[in-house]
């Protein structure tokens, strides 16, 4: 498989080169030259196929000959080595729980796959690779956990001081070894722009092999389509495929699902569920796209004003707004609606949503309201304990901490404090 840059000014590369580079030299996102068709015979028997085997068969054509079959099978098996259950919330709505990984959010799958691929590639690579990543919360922990102890790779995580939750901060600052956390006196946008400046800087380019670990990177983006296959594996009614609602920020998750759909996975319709950062729902409604600056909300992992994967969404449907809206409907969900949904669902079914899953749930309820008999799935992207204040206030009781979270509170935070602005980061990176 070859990958081309969506800016069309850089040469095509294979999966290995696309993963190591992160972004194309012309600053475009990489996109596969074709979307592999999922074997219809596999879809027929999908409920009887193991998740490891299914993951291997889906990822194989994307990876091509960049990784041998035995290594790829090991990598996907480690990637999906935790439960991803589909639970029914009520008559119409089920929840695909993507938060049973080590950092309690769905980014574990992408981060684990990417880290293992990069670890594999670094064996044939001269020098160390530095992964530089900015996080608004969940990416940092997933990347730290995924890359911990991977030979040949150093990870530097920038996070905004005081703007991530306690669990999120501990997850990204307590790893040690090859993981370094930089606590930036600024916002997430400051962190993001420091990282962007680093990728553009000629001195750093010369000295370090830098790559990104957000969903720009194909090795983090593409394995997310596995969620949609796991959902279908557990879906009972083969004659009526699910409507799937995806809580979206940078749109890596939804675009990955669209790749599986384009490859033949049955899905009735997709819901792009956003908080008030709704550039994409607005595009779906009006045909006009305009990036905005991010507004803080209680579903903070989706506070993205200019979603980087929007160009991939357009590419999947050949830039045809008409075709796009046949398959995707967008919703804008306010914080009040999000809180109300957490409370209502808890009262009516006992199920506890996190704020991101609640955004998806609200949107799916709206979509299904005039379609009796239709059923759908929300992607529950984070464990509610990652957002205890919001969730406990909405349900009126306290949450039990899972083991993965309680263990964190005994550990020592280690972070290097830094001011916002590129020069200090550059000096620090050059002097390591
Ligand atoms: C990152 C994140 C999202 C948004 O996913 P995108 O792929 O950026 O659209 C949603 N929910 C949670 C909990 C997240 O961490």
């Amino acid at each position: 498989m070859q990958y081309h840059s969506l800016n069309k000014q850089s040469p095509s590369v294979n999966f290995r080169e696309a993963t190591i580079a992160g972004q194309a030299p012309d600053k475009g996102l990489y996109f596969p030259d074709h979307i592999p068709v999922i074997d219809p015979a596999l879809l027929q028997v999908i409920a009887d196929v193991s998740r490891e085997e299914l993951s291997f068969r889906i990822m194989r054509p994307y990876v091509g000959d960049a990784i041998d079959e035995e290594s790829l099978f090991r990598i996907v098996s480690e990637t999906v080595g935790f439960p991803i259950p589909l639970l029914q919330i009520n008559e119409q709505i089920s929840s695909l729980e993507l938060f049973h990984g080590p950092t309690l959010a769905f980014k574990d799958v992408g981060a684990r796959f990417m880290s293992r691929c990069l670890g594999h590639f670094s064996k044939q690579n001269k020098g160390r690779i530095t992964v530089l990543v900015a996080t608004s919360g969940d990416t940092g922990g997933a990347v730290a956990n995924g890359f911990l102890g991977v030979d040949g790779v150093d990870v530097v995580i920038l996070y905004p001081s005081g703007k991530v939750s306690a669990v999120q901060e501990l997850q990204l600052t307590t790893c040690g070894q090859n993981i370094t956390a930089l606590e930036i006196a600024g916002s997430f946008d400051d962190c993001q722009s420091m990282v962007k400046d680093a990728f553009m800087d000629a001195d750093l380019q010369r000295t370090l092999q830098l790559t990104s670990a957000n969903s720009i990177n194909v090795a983090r983006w593409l394995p997310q389509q596995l969620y949609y296959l796991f959902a279908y594996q557990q879906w009972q009614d083969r004659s009526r495929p699910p409507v799937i609602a995806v809580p979206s920020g940078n749109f890596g998750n939804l675009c990955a699902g669209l790749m599986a759909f384009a490859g033949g996975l049955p899905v009735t319709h997709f819901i792009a569920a956003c908080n008030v950062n709704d550039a994409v729902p607005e595009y779906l409604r009006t045909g006009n796209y305009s990036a905005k600056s991010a507004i803080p909300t209680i579903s903070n992992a989706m506070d993205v004003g200019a979603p980087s994967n929007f160009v991939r969404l357009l590419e999947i449907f050949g830039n045809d707004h008409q075709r796009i809206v046949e398959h995707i409907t967008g919703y804008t969900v306010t914080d009040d609606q999000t809180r109300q949904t957490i409370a209502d669902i808890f009262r009516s079914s006992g199920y506890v949503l996190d704020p991101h899953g609640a955004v998806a749930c609200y949107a799916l309820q709206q979509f299904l309201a005039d379609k009796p008999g239709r059923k759908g799935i929300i992607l529950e992207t984070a464990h509610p304990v990652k957002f205890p204040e919001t969730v406990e206030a909405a349900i009126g009781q306290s949450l039990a901490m899972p083991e993965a979270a309680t263990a964190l509170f005994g550990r020592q935070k280690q972070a290097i404090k830094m001011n916002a602005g590129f020069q200090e980061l550059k000096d620090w990176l050059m002097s390591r």
Side-chain angles (χ1 to χ4, degrees):
M1 174 71 80
Q2 291 289 108
Y3 291 80
H4 59 275
S5 165
L6 290 178
N7 283 357
K8 302 196 164 57
Q9 305 297 317
S10 298
S12 289
V13 297
N14 69 9
F15 179 78
R16 175 180 192 274
E17 295 159 319
T19 298
I20 294 176
Q23 206 168 353
D26 64 7
K27 307 295 165 215
L29 270 61
Y30 281 119
F31 196 88
D33 279 358
H34 67 273
I35 300 180
V37 173
I38 302 171
D39 181 359
L42 177 64
L43 292 173
Q44 286 293 323
V45 298
I46 193 165
D48 303 320
V49 180
S50 73
R51 286 194 297 137
E52 291 76 9
E53 176 73 23
L54 180 59
S55 305
F56 174 77
R57 292 192 50 189
I58 297 300
M59 294 313 294
R60 174 96 213 116
Y62 283 103
V63 172
D65 53 14
I67 300 178
D68 64 276
E69 298 205 342
E70 201 187 321
S71 303
L72 182 62
F73 196 88
R74 180 185 50 76
I75 289 170
V76 295
S77 301
E78 290 174 12
T79 300
V80 301
F82 47 83
I84 302 186
L86 183 68
L87 267 71
Q88 193 161 352
I89 299 181
N90 59 34
E91 256 313 293
Q92 280 197 302
I93 299 180
S94 300
S95 167
L96 186 73
E97 295 188 340
L98 300 173
F99 55 73
H100 295 283
T103 71
L104 308 174
F106 83 106
K107 292 187 171 74
D108 280 325
V109 164
R112 283 154 76 93
F113 185 78
M114 182 188 160
S115 62
R116 282 155 179 82
C117 289
L118 214 51
H120 180 84
F121 297 144
S122 76
K123 289 187 196 123
Q124 313 128 28
N125 192 61
K126 281 204 264 357
R128 297 182 72 76
I129 297 170
T130 301
V131 172
L132 194 61
V133 66
T135 182
S136 61
D138 289 328
T139 298
V143 168
N145 190 282
F147 281 90
L148 183 63
V150 173
D151 279 341
V153 182
D154 293 315
V155 176
V156 178
I157 301 165
L158 284 72
Y159 74 99
S161 182
K163 297 193 176 66
V164 301
S165 80
V167 170
Q168 287 172 333
E169 181 169 44
L170 287 167
Q171 282 175 339
L172 65 94
T173 57
T174 58
C175 286
Q177 297 185 47
N178 59 331
I179 315 292
T180 306
L182 302 181
E183 181 176 359
I184 307 300
S187 66
F188 170 65
D189 284 333
D190 293 326
C191 298
Q192 180 111 306
S193 76
M194 289 163 77
V195 168
K196 283 191 178 144
D197 286 348
F199 285 118
M200 310 269 267
D201 188 85
D203 296 329
L204 288 174
Q205 289 290 351
R206 243 191 333 271
T207 341
L208 297 171
Q209 278 192 77
L210 283 181
T211 191
S212 71
N214 54 32
S215 55
I216 283 176
N217 195 304
V218 293
R220 225 203 87 187
W221 171 52
L222 289 168
Q224 303 186 98
Q225 65 189 296
L226 297 173
Y227 312 143
Y228 301 79
L229 285 125
F230 299 153
Y232 191 64
Q233 258 191 325
Q234 300 173 71
W235 186 250
Q236 300 299 329
D237 187 356
R238 288 280 174 262
S239 65
R240 281 190 168 203
V243 174
I244 302 185
V246 188
S248 295
N250 248 331
F251 279 79
N253 193 356
L254 179 61
C255 284
L258 293 170
M259 295 297 273
F261 176 67
L265 180 73
V267 176
T268 293
H269 198 72
F270 287 91
I271 306 293
C274 291
N275 58 33
V276 293
N277 297 286
D278 65 345
V280 174
E282 190 175 301
Y283 163 78
L284 294 169
R285 283 190 293 268
T286 65
N288 300 318
Y289 176 77
S290 64
K292 300 169 188 168
S293 50
I295 302 162
T297 74
I298 57 170
S299 47
N300 68 328
M302 312 191 322
D303 295 348
V304 181
S308 44
N309 286 288
F310 179 63
V311 286
R312 284 180 170 145
L313 189 153
L314 294 178
E315 182 71 14
I316 293 167
F317 292 104
N319 257 294
D320 183 341
H321 182 259
Q322 187 63 40
R323 273 180 67 207
I324 294 174
V325 297
E326 266 167 41
H327 299 294
I328 314 172
T329 303
Y331 288 91
T332 306
V333 183
T334 65
D335 278 355
D336 279 346
Q337 290 165 333
T338 305
R339 287 192 195 92
Q340 194 60 49
T341 304
I342 298 173
D344 289 346
I345 291 289
F346 182 67
R347 197 174 334 102
S348 60
S349 71
Y351 192 82
V352 182
L353 291 163
D354 99 291
H356 305 78
V359 167
C361 194
Y362 181 87
L364 185 57
Q365 285 173 333
Q366 299 292 307
F367 182 79
L368 294 177
D370 56 355
K371 300 176 187 66
R374 278 272 176 229
K375 293 180 179 177
I377 292 174
I378 60 160
L379 299 192
E380 199 9 316
T381 46
H383 196 296
V385 291
K386 289 192 103 169
F387 311 94
E389 292 82 8
T390 305
V391 175
E392 289 177 353
I395 67 173
Q397 59 188 64
S398 58
L399 294 169
M401 279 270 171
E403 173 71 27
T406 41
L408 284 169
F409 285 96
R411 303 174 64 180
Q412 192 59 41
K413 166 182 159 182
Q414 284 177 301
I416 297 172
K417 287 187 190 284
M418 199 175 273
N419 292 310
F422 175 57
Q423 192 58 44
E424 198 172 331
L425 174 67
K426 177 175 174 174
D427 293 344
W428 181 81
L429 283 168
M430 295 291 285
S431 67
R432 290 182 87 205

